[in-house]
Amino acid sequence: MTLINTTSVTIDTVVPTLSIGQIQISADRRSTKEKPLTDSERIRRVVLPANYWGEISATLNNDKSQSLTDILRTALTGIAADRLRDTLAAEPMQRTVELSDYTVSALLSWNAETASGRGSITFTREQVESWFDGSTTKQALATKYAAAGKSVTEVTTLLTFIRNRFASTAAKNHGLKEATDAAKLTSLIDPADLDGKDASLMVELLGRLEHISKLLTAKANEATISMDDL
């Protein structure tokens, strides 16, 4: 862990050495036989400064309970890990995080927003990337752009952008700004992929895009009302 300044720390790609009181947050990726990863590709960890969460304690029948305290700390660490995974799902190349995002109050607030706002996300960024790389959607788009006179470099750039847009839907901070963005992504999916080996993932992805579209539509409708309308 490298403390960049008093407000941010690095995301480590090696197993950090911990000092007493430091808190390790892990968002490690899973290495598989089909897609083996080196340690530097797999490890994604953040170390919070010693005693960053202060004293966390729980009581049972007015008596301090160490077991409940341990459960609380484990739960909070789990929320922090989810927060880090979400950050990396949205921005895989991010190499630092703001400490202010990992205070107890910030994590509890993020968790509450996540529970109500993200919908049921049952897929990962890696799953979407794997689907896209072997998809009919990618092949059809490559053919379309080539036929439109795009150069190989331009086609590659467009496909990389689209891949990242699809993959970012695995994060709460998906980066889409308008409901039409979600609709556009939906329209890019080739029908053949809906019946392929990743059909169940497609159902989940389409559901996620629909959820995002509804949220962005609601947000836009709220923004159209001002005090002048009262």
Side-chain angles (χ1 to χ4, degrees), residues 14-167:
V14 296
V15 177
T17 300
L18 299 178
S19 300
I20 295 176
Q22 289 183 326
I23 306 164
Q24 178 176 250
I25 308 301
S26 173
D28 289 0
R29 300 170 64 191
R30 187 162 61 96
S31 180
T32 64
K33 183 171 63 176
E34 293 77 17
K35 189 176 181 181
L37 302 174
T38 64
D39 283 349
S40 63
E41 293 171 328
R42 180 179 61 82
I43 296 171
R44 297 291 184 270
R45 301 185 189 183
V46 163
V47 178
L48 303 181
N51 303 315
Y52 189 65
W53 288 341
E55 182 180 354
I56 298 176
S57 62
T59 60
L60 180 63
N61 297 326
N62 296 322
D63 293 325
K64 187 173 181 179
S65 171
Q66 186 58 48
S67 60
L68 284 180
T69 298
D70 291 342
I71 290 173
L72 283 177
R73 290 189 67 87
T74 298
L76 192 59
T77 301
I79 294 172
D82 288 341
R83 178 75 172 88
L84 181 57
R85 289 191 194 95
D86 198 80
T87 296
L88 291 171
E91 298 291 343
M93 301 307 294
Q94 185 162 325
R95 290 296 175 259
T96 62
V97 296
E98 296 298 313
L99 283 171
S100 59
D101 290 336
Y102 290 84
T103 63
V104 173
S105 59
L107 288 171
L108 293 178
S109 177
W110 177 85
N111 189 56
E113 291 174 1
T114 296
S116 62
R118 78 186 291 174
S120 178
I121 301 179
T122 55
F123 56 86
T124 66
R125 182 183 184 93
E126 288 75 19
Q127 286 176 307
V128 176
E129 290 174 338
S130 179
W131 155 72
F132 186 80
D133 289 344
S135 68
T136 303
T137 295
K138 180 181 179 180
Q139 295 172 9
L141 289 172
T143 301
K144 171 186 174 182
Y145 295 139
K150 302 289 185 183
S151 68
V152 172
T153 299
E154 289 173 323
V155 171
T156 299
T157 299
L158 285 167
L159 293 178
T160 299
F161 175 79
I162 294 169
R163 180 182 190 263
N164 287 335
R165 288 295 85 215
F166 274 123

